[in-house]
Amino acid sequence: MSKKFVIVGLGLIGGSMAMALKGFEDFTIVGVDVSQPTLRYAREHGICDSVTENAGEAVEGADVVMLACHPQGILDFLEEHKNRFKPGCLVTDVCGVKAAILEGAKCLPEGVDFIGCHPMAGTEFSGIQNAFPEMFRDSHLILTPREESTPDHIALLERLAVHAGFRDVIQTTPEQHDAILAYTSQMMHVIALSVCDDPNLFVCKGFEGSSFRGCTRVAALDVGLWTQLFSLNAPALTACLDTFIAHLQDYRAVIASGDREKLREKLTFSSDRKRQMNLPGPDLLN
Amino acid sequence: MSKKFVIVGLGLIGGSMAMALKGFEDFTIVGVDVSQPTLRYAREHGICDSVTENAGEAVEGADVVMLACHPQGILDFLEEHKNRFKPGCLVTDVCGVKAAILEGAKCLPEGVDFIGCHPMAGTEFSGIQNAFPEMFRDSHLILTPREESTPDHIALLERLAVHAGFRDVIQTTPEQHDAILAYTSQMMHVIALSVCDDPNLFVCKGFEGSSFRGCTRVAALDVGLWTQLFSLNAPALTACLDTFIAHLQDYRAVIASGDREKLREKLTFSSDRKRQMNLPGPDLLN
């Protein structure tokens, strides 16, 4: 008998995950969404084996439930459905903050496992119509298991990663995940947004080179999602921003001083760091 | 009899320009460089019709001289060779600051035209071995003519733009150019460098998503070139940085406040601006 893999939320990531998991072992993929157009799209395009708007029914008897909603939606879902998961069920998620989600998952009854999950992939678009099965190819899948998470469940997510085409699976703590993501992801979005706040933005239309497009691409973001990601990771994100602003101010001071030798030294220092980052072989957290 | 088009400096841009100008009207392309390996590479790969290390000789009798050196090199070259250009010669350049270059070009004798030129193209690499003829495809070519520049010379550069595959030609003043480029280009580089100054950079290796790579790609820059670009455009660049830092601090304050409604409003404002920038049709300066 096939096992039941429920994906709650068929947006960009949930939809892509459903597509990427087609044929994964003996799982039947059940998609859940509150939006009728999304369900219709999923049905018409064969995104899942079946779809439903009834989350409660879908969750019952499920072997794996992957919550692919916005962070607050995940927290609300856990609270609302905590008593519907069957014992031994693995609940996981796909969102970009982990400490707040793991905290929320403490409401689950004993015997229901939760492993935080963050597929490091995405685009600046949203919605199932932008989903595609290669979304995760060569990306990292970050896992933040609980202490009591079972090796079987971790192994299941590792096989899932292989099937969906992830480059690797990295285990870390929710706190480390959040500190790193504040820097590598959330701050990049704050930078892109702040650049676009410049009053001369539209005067410059047509003069954007690849550096401008590269820096600001992600500013066209999903407002609801990123409001939650920034809010739920505020301490780590503001700490990163403080460090970044201090480094910007150092550059500003040296540029204003007219001291070309000092400026050259600073450029050498920073560009060498970037070149070192570009070298092959990731220095991953253990 | 063919006309003589001299390109001084066969680096990434000068080399690509030479390749892109192959077969341009009845011009013979003469490449000048001080580096023997560069000249040998250009000769072996047929980058120009001829190459020489003797700038003085090359410039004499030239119809067009394009200075594709670093900004300070352009200023020094103009000063050193100002009396070698023949009357009616068009001198131009390709660098990313314009007011300082136009100021330096005032040393040229009457009858020698100078039109500032900025092909808005490039990569994070440098040197002739990274040059390619499609470098300028779909890019903007910005021209900053002098008041006394002749229509014939402007028309010549417009035909050059077509031949090299540029998307369009935009005329503006050196001051407007520099203000816009401080924002769209130089500040993007200061941002990328400052992000890489974060002490946790290497801890995060392997966790970079596309937003991080997009923002920091240009940090692996040519130190000598960008030291000069930042220095020669310091007032405009520091003004942009002040505006950017103020907008970052606004975001920081709202994120720290925990006021999700205010944060959502800010994200809506900034992301709408980015989406408006993404609409087709450039709002170019007149």
Side-chain angles (χ1 to χ4, degrees):
Chain A
M1 192 184 122
S2 80
K3 288 181 284 179
K4 186 172 175 188
F5 194 119
V6 178
I7 299 178
V8 180
L10 294 174
L12 179 71
I13 299 299
S16 297
M17 189 62 85
M19 293 160 98
L21 291 186
K22 209 169 274 283
F24 177 50
E25 300 181 353
D26 54 349
F27 284 103
T28 298
I29 309 290
V30 180
V32 177
D33 207 281
V34 291
S35 151
Q36 287 303 328
T38 295
L39 292 174
R40 191 163 52 241
Y41 185 99
R43 210 177 283 118
E44 285 171 7
H45 291 77
I47 307 279
C48 311
D49 295 311
S50 70
V51 295
T52 175
E53 59 185 327
N54 192 328
E57 255 183 46
V59 160
E60 276 166 32
D63 298 282
V64 184
V65 177
M66 177 176 274
L67 303 174
C69 334
H70 286 193
Q72 191 59 52
I74 294 171
L75 296 172
D76 296 345
F77 192 97
L78 288 168
E79 188 56 41
E80 185 180 345
H81 298 283
K82 59 188 173 193
N83 294 320
R84 289 206 176 86
F85 301 101
K86 77 171 184 189
C89 176
L90 168 62
V91 185
T92 182
D93 75 317
V94 299
C95 93
V97 290
K98 293 274 77 89
I101 298 295
L102 271 283
E103 186 59 33
K106 287 185 179 163
C107 74
L108 292 173
E110 221 185 299
V112 176
D113 200 359
F114 189 91
I115 298 181
C117 193
H118 181 194
M120 287 202 61
T123 70
E124 68 273 40
F125 306 111
S126 60
I128 195 168
Q129 67 282 5
N130 291 305
F132 56 100
E134 298 81 14
M135 172 70 83
F136 309 104
R137 194 149 305 276
D138 286 328
S139 301
H140 306 296
L141 181 67
I142 306 182
L143 300 185
T144 62
R146 301 201 287 199
E147 267 190 36
E148 61 272 34
S149 292
T150 71
D152 279 359
H153 284 155
I154 294 173
L156 168 62
L157 292 176
E158 285 171 342
R159 296 196 307 277
L160 173 151
V162 171
H163 189 87
F166 283 92
R167 190 203 308 178
D168 51 25
V169 176
I170 304 159
Q171 277 190 47
T172 183
T173 64
E175 293 69 29
Q176 274 193 301
H177 170 276
D178 287 357
I180 289 175
L181 268 288
Y183 171 59
T184 59
S185 171
Q186 289 153 17
M187 188 165 83
M188 299 306 113
H189 290 72
V190 178
I191 290 172
L193 293 160
S194 299
V195 167
C196 292
D197 282 353
D198 192 291
N200 286 319
L201 177 69
F202 298 116
V203 175
C204 296
K205 192 166 173 177
F207 284 88
E208 313 100 300
S210 63
S211 61
F212 189 87
R213 285 190 293 264
C215 177
T216 61
R217 179 181 60 83
V218 293
L221 44 68
D222 177 332
V223 170
L225 171 62
W226 288 90
T227 299
Q228 293 179 21
L229 291 172
F230 291 173
S231 300
L232 291 170
N233 202 19
L237 178 53
T238 52
C240 281
L241 282 169
D242 289 339
T243 303
F244 176 57
I245 291 170
H247 286 130
L248 276 177
Q249 277 164 335
D250 285 349
Y251 262 107
R252 191 223 177 276
V254 176
I255 291 166
S257 76
D259 185 340
R260 285 202 196 183
E261 202 36 56
K262 187 119 183 264
L263 181 55
R264 169 187 291 274
E265 275 169 31
K266 271 186 80 62
L267 287 169
T268 303
F269 173 81
S270 312
S271 62
D272 280 353
R273 288 169 68 82
K274 175 60 182 169
R275 271 182 276 268
Q276 200 174 329
M277 275 296 270
N278 286 347
L279 294 177
D283 291 339
L284 296 176
L285 280 183
N286 47 22
Chain B
M1 193 186 118
S2 79
K3 287 182 282 179
K4 187 175 175 186
F5 194 119
V6 178
I7 298 178
V8 180
L10 294 174
L12 179 71
I13 300 298
S16 296
M17 189 62 84
M19 294 161 97
L21 291 185
K22 209 168 275 279
F24 177 49
E25 300 183 353
D26 54 348
F27 285 102
T28 299
I29 309 290
V30 180
V32 177
D33 207 283
V34 292
S35 151
Q36 287 303 327
T38 295
L39 292 174
R40 191 163 53 242
Y41 185 100
R43 210 177 283 118
E44 286 171 6
H45 292 77
I47 307 277
C48 311
D49 296 311
S50 71
V51 296
T52 174
E53 60 185 328
N54 192 328
E57 255 183 45
V59 161
E60 275 167 30
D63 297 282
V64 184
V65 178
M66 177 175 273
L67 304 175
C69 334
H70 285 193
Q72 191 59 53
I74 294 171
L75 296 172
D76 296 345
F77 192 96
L78 288 168
E79 188 56 39
E80 186 181 344
H81 297 285
K82 60 188 173 192
N83 294 318
R84 290 206 174 86
F85 300 102
K86 78 171 183 189
C89 176
L90 168 62
V91 186
T92 182
D93 75 316
V94 298
C95 93
V97 290
K98 293 273 76 86
I101 299 295
L102 271 283
E103 186 59 33
K106 287 185 179 164
C107 74
L108 292 172
E110 220 186 299
V112 175
D113 200 358
F114 188 91
I115 298 179
C117 194
H118 182 193
M120 287 202 60
T123 70
E124 68 275 38
F125 306 110
S126 59
I128 194 166
Q129 66 282 4
N130 291 305
F132 57 99
E134 298 80 16
M135 171 71 81
F136 309 105
R137 195 149 305 274
D138 286 328
S139 300
H140 306 297
L141 181 66
I142 306 182
L143 301 185
T144 62
R146 301 200 288 199
E147 267 191 35
E148 62 271 34
S149 292
T150 71
D152 279 0
H153 283 155
I154 294 173
L156 169 62
L157 291 176
E158 285 172 341
R159 296 196 307 277
L160 173 152
V162 171
H163 188 88
F166 284 92
R167 188 203 311 177
D168 51 23
V169 176
I170 304 160
Q171 278 190 47
T172 185
T173 64
E175 293 70 27
Q176 274 191 301
H177 169 277
D178 288 358
I180 289 174
L181 268 288
Y183 172 59
T184 59
S185 171
Q186 289 152 18
M187 188 165 83
M188 299 305 113
H189 290 73
V190 177
I191 289 171
L193 293 160
S194 299
V195 167
C196 291
D197 283 353
D198 193 290
N200 286 320
L201 176 69
F202 298 116
V203 175
C204 296
K205 192 165 173 175
F207 286 88
E208 313 99 300
S210 63
S211 61
F212 190 88
R213 286 191 294 266
C215 176
T216 61
R217 179 182 59 86
V218 294
L221 43 68
D222 177 333
V223 170
L225 171 62
W226 288 91
T227 300
Q228 294 179 20
L229 290 172
F230 290 173
S231 301
L232 291 170
N233 203 20
L237 179 53
T238 51
C240 283
L241 282 169
D242 288 340
T243 303
F244 175 58
I245 291 170
H247 286 129
L248 277 177
Q249 277 164 335
D250 285 348
Y251 261 106
R252 192 222 177 277
V254 177
I255 292 165
S257 76
D259 184 341
R260 284 201 195 183
E261 202 36 58
K262 186 114 183 268
L263 181 56
R264 169 186 289 274
E265 274 169 33
K266 271 187 79 63
L267 287 169
T268 303
F269 174 80
S270 312
S271 62
D272 280 352
R273 288 171 68 81
K274 174 60 179 170
R275 272 183 275 267
Q276 200 175 328
M277 275 297 269
N278 285 349
L279 295 177
D283 292 339
L284 296 175
L285 279 183
N286 46 24

